[in-house]
Amino acid sequence: MTTTPPAPVLDRLRAVLAARLGPEYDAVAEDADLRVTLGDGYDSLTVMECVSAVEAEFGIEVDLVGDDVRHWFSTTALMARFVADRLEDAAVLGGAGSGGSGGGAHGEGDGA
């Protein structure tokens, strides 16, 4: 798994988030908690909009049950790591980037 996301992933992610969150997002540090920094500007509805936008931009699926969205979508750095890991998984598995075949939470192997 990737520890530092590639710059292109981070750049694309920041562009997607800026489009959703507006100019207030421009000054947000990558490791800043978005709920704390943006307050009501990053409520549960906005989180879901960001999840959908990230899925569309990167061609991945976020499992709202299996993936810990509250954790992975709390900071830009964590989102970028999540996306980079999903893209890496898709490249290794030769799939389209979705984790939709079942098999547990993000970061878990199926052990088979």
Side-chain angles (χ1 to χ4, degrees), residues 14 16-17 22 27 32 41 52 54 65 77 80 91 96 109:
R14 286 196 71 85
V16 167
L17 295 175
S52 294
V54 167
V65 175

Side-chain angles (χ1 to χ4, degrees), residues 80-101:
R81 195 169 111 208
F82 178 90
V83 169
D85 287 349
R86 282 295 168 96
L87 294 174
E88 184 178 301
D89 290 349
V92 168
L93 297 173
S98 74
S101 63

Side-chain angles (χ1 to χ4, degrees), residues 6 10-12 22-24 35 39 45 47 51 58-59 67 70 73 80 83-84 91 98 107:
L10 187 57
D11 292 344
R12 284 173 60 193
E24 297 83 15
R35 289 172 297 232
L45 179 59
V47 172
V51 167
F58 292 97
D67 296 323
R70 288 178 53 189
F73 281 73
V83 169
S98 74

